[in-house]
Amino acid sequence: MENIVITITRQIGSGGYDLARAISEEFGFKLIDRELVVHAAKILKTDVAYLDKKEERTSSLLEKILSVFSIGTPEIGSLAGSFYPTDAEIFEVQKTVLENFAQNHDIVALGRASFFVFKDHPKHLSVFLKADLDYRVKNVAKEFNISDKEAIELINQTDKNRNEYIKKMTGLNRCDLRNYDIVLDVSCIGFELTKNFVIDVIKHKFFKNGGGR
């Protein structure tokens, strides 16, 4: 029997992590977020901090140079203390780790192109959360204890990074709403209604009559 997979793609500041946690707690699903990075880092033999830094963004020129020199040559050896994997290598390993989790657990996965990884999974529900800029600025400024101006800069850069990463790794536009089963504007309907709606959809889709699948 296939396990249930819920994927959440979100704009920063729209409450994606809170929704993922609420779903995990409601149904006992395994929340895949930080754990994915730790597992991927072990497989790639690189630093968790390096993967954290690269969260859903493509490599800078410096990182690309480091990834070449970290391999080293017989003449000069490695110029880096650990392996700096390429974007493609990170994506493939994270994809494998996600798939392995889904083989053993019902999961809710946050970001990292999970909507694409599980697009053909028979028990997959994909959710996209969006919100207007004012709503996002308020949440981001509070979460990171920064000014509204700094929050706007962080939002713009994060959106750019994530869009470029998804385009490069999957060929898809992350903001193309045709990629998702459910699209919700949290700034319009509020987080509680968003949470309750998604939970009700999961119950209806996977737990009909309040019983088994």
Side-chain angles (χ1 to χ4, degrees), residues 99-142:
E99 291 170 339
N100 287 341
F101 274 126
Q103 287 177 1
N104 297 295
H105 308 275
D106 295 316
I107 68 170
V108 52
L110 187 63
R112 298 181 177 87
S114 55
F115 78 91
F116 173 81
V117 172
F118 294 108
K119 61 184 176 63
D120 297 320
H121 192 283
K123 290 188 175 180
H124 173 213
L125 181 73
S126 57
V127 180
F128 183 85
L129 294 189
K130 62 187 292 291
D132 64 33
L133 184 59
D134 288 344
Y135 183 94
R136 298 170 69 194
V137 168
K138 179 180 178 181
N139 288 337
V140 170
K142 180 179 179 181

Side-chain angles (χ1 to χ4, degrees), residues 30-184:
K30 189 172 185 62
L31 173 56
I32 309 301
D33 183 29
R34 178 70 178 171
E35 194 171 355
L36 174 61
V37 177
V38 174
H39 279 260
K42 288 180 180 178
I43 294 170
L44 290 164
K45 295 181 172 58
T46 191
D47 298 325
V48 172
Y50 177 72
L51 295 191
D52 277 338
K53 183 180 177 182
K54 288 188 58 58
E55 164 102 5
E56 293 182 311
R57 67 180 180 86
T58 54
S59 293
S60 66
L61 177 60
L62 175 59
E63 288 166 342
K64 289 175 182 176
I65 293 171
L66 284 173
S67 70
V68 173
F69 281 107
S70 66
I71 298 172
T73 66
E75 293 80 12
I76 63 174
S78 174
L79 296 183
S82 60
F83 175 53
Y84 289 85
T86 65
D87 295 328
E89 288 167 336
I90 294 171
F91 177 79
E92 287 302 320
V93 167
Q94 290 189 337
K95 177 175 179 290
T96 299
V97 172
L98 280 169
E99 291 170 339
N100 287 341
F101 274 126
Q103 287 177 1
N104 297 295
H105 308 275
D106 295 316
I107 68 170
V108 52
L110 187 63
R112 298 181 177 87
S114 55
F115 78 91
F116 173 81
V117 172
F118 294 108
K119 61 184 176 63
D120 297 320
H121 192 283
K123 290 188 175 180
H124 173 213
L125 181 73
S126 57
V127 180
F128 183 85
L129 294 189
K130 62 187 292 291
D132 64 33
L133 184 59
D134 288 344
Y135 183 94
R136 298 170 69 194
V137 168
K138 179 180 178 181
N139 288 337
V140 170
K142 180 179 179 181
E143 179 179 356
F144 294 97
N145 192 27
I146 56 180
S147 68
D148 287 357
K149 180 180 179 181
E150 290 170 323
I152 291 172
E153 292 174 354
L154 178 58
I155 287 169
N156 289 337
Q157 189 60 52
T158 301
D159 284 349
K160 179 176 181 291
N161 290 340
R162 289 177 175 173
N163 291 343
E164 289 178 350
Y165 176 83
I166 295 300
K167 183 67 174 179
K168 179 178 179 181
M169 294 299 107
T170 72
L172 299 177
N173 179 349
R174 189 177 72 102
C175 294
D176 185 341
L177 303 186
R178 293 173 296 181
N179 294 322
Y180 311 101
D181 300 311
I182 298 174
V183 178
L184 295 170

